[in-house]
Amino acid sequence: MKDISSVLSGIESDISNSVEPSGLNARWFGEQVVASRTNPAEMANWASSTVIEDNVQAPVFDECVFSWLHSGVPGAFEFPIGHAGLMHVYGYLLSSVETPYGLKRGRWLTDDLAKAFGLKPSFFFPTASTVPLMERVASVALPTLTDPTADSRTILTVDEVVDRRRCMRTVYIRDPMSNSTALLYGSVSGDDVQIVTAFPIGPMTAQSVQDRLAEPTRHRYNYAPVDAQPGSHFDGTVQVLTSAF
């Protein structure tokens, strides 16, 4: 993890200084980003997000990195609002901003998330496959967000209903062998499901579930809706679709 973290920090530094990353250490990263942002189907699997991290109230990477990630991407993305997949996957890999939970890139450099899904430990490690990381994430996160009950690892699904057209869905999954737990979050509008983010979390308890359900409805995890501010509250209802508690 240390070696690849150094490589990623170097790539971030180059981009922030308007230098195109080059060399073998950077090639894999650029190839994955280009493959993802030029694949309309994969891009459509993700919602929008803000680069302003809710926990630190500051950007987790700068405008130069934002612009590089979105180079040639169609749409109205403008700093700080961008494509959640490009930002939460590749942008977080480049981020060196410390949050209360550590570096954002940590979720992709450890095996915690893979264990929660019951996958081989290296599944989300960026260089473990030529398949772009954003595609690997969507391949397992999207089916679970779409039909949480079909995944035996689902322990809790909460829909925060915005209106009759849309809800924000949080799915918690846990591997029974390792007890590794992860959170998935996305937007659901009928059959249209889009990922916002996925990350490992600590163990859940009946009390933590009760606390979560008692929270007011709001947009979470840096999601940027088209009709409201990121993190804003809305007058919605909470529906528990599945619960093991």
Side-chain angles (χ1 to χ4, degrees):
M1 177 173 172
K2 182 178 180 181
D3 290 342
I4 196 170
S5 286
S6 297
V7 169
L8 292 165
S9 294
I11 296 173
E12 178 197 23
S13 178
D14 284 346
I15 296 172
S16 296
N17 289 291
S18 301
V19 177
E20 188 67 22
S22 60
L24 292 176
N25 283 339
R27 182 180 301 168
W28 65 268
F29 186 82
E31 289 175 348
Q32 289 196 32
V33 173
V34 170
S36 292
R37 70 186 177 202
T38 57
N39 186 327
E42 289 299 327
M43 291 286 283
N45 287 331
W46 296 79
S48 298
S49 177
T50 177
V51 73
I52 308 298
E53 164 59 32
D54 190 49
N55 289 301
V56 297
Q57 289 298 300
V60 289
F61 50 82
D62 63 28
E63 192 164 354
C64 289
V65 171
F66 179 95
S67 298
W68 185 86
L69 288 172
H70 291 84
S71 178
V73 174
F77 296 125
E78 184 176 354
F79 189 87
I81 305 299
H83 182 270
L86 294 177
M87 293 167 63
H88 287 234
V89 177
Y90 305 118
Y92 283 6
L93 277 172
L94 296 183
S95 176
S96 56
V97 173
E98 285 283 355
T99 76
Y101 305 99
L103 292 176
K104 286 289 192 179
R105 71 179 60 147
R107 69 186 62 181
W108 309 124
L109 303 184
T110 65
D111 60 7
D112 296 328
L113 189 59
K115 283 182 177 179
F117 277 104
L119 301 167
K120 62 181 181 181
S122 64
F123 186 86
F124 294 117
F125 197 77
T127 58
S129 171
T130 57
V131 177
L133 179 55
M134 197 176 90
E135 183 177 338
R136 279 179 268 161
V137 177
S139 71
V140 292
L142 192 61
T144 300
L145 276 171
T146 301
D147 186 5
T149 61
D151 191 331
S152 63
R153 292 177 173 81
T154 298
I155 56 173
L156 180 68
T157 305
V158 179
D159 278 359
E160 295 175 277
V161 180
V162 181
D163 52 41
R164 285 191 287 181
R165 296 175 296 112
R166 178 164 56 101
C167 70
M168 302 309 302
R169 177 168 294 168
T170 309
V171 181
Y172 300 83
I173 62 172
R174 181 174 63 205
D175 176 59
M177 299 297 293
S178 65
N179 280 329
S180 294
T181 308
L183 181 153
L184 315 178
Y185 184 68
S187 171
V188 179
S189 299
D191 293 331
D192 184 19
V193 181
Q194 290 185 305
I195 309 161
V196 174
T197 197
F199 54 91
I201 61 173
M204 295 188 68
T205 64
Q207 184 60 55
S208 64
V209 171
Q210 184 177 337
D211 292 343
R212 170 64 177 82
L213 296 178
E215 294 179 6
T217 50
R218 68 179 182 90
H219 300 295
R220 302 173 188 273
Y221 310 115
N222 305 330
Y223 170 58
V226 297
D227 54 354
Q229 291 295 312
S232 59
H233 292 76
F234 54 86
D235 187 20
T237 58
V238 176
Q239 296 181 355
V240 178
L241 302 188
T242 60
S243 178
F245 297 90

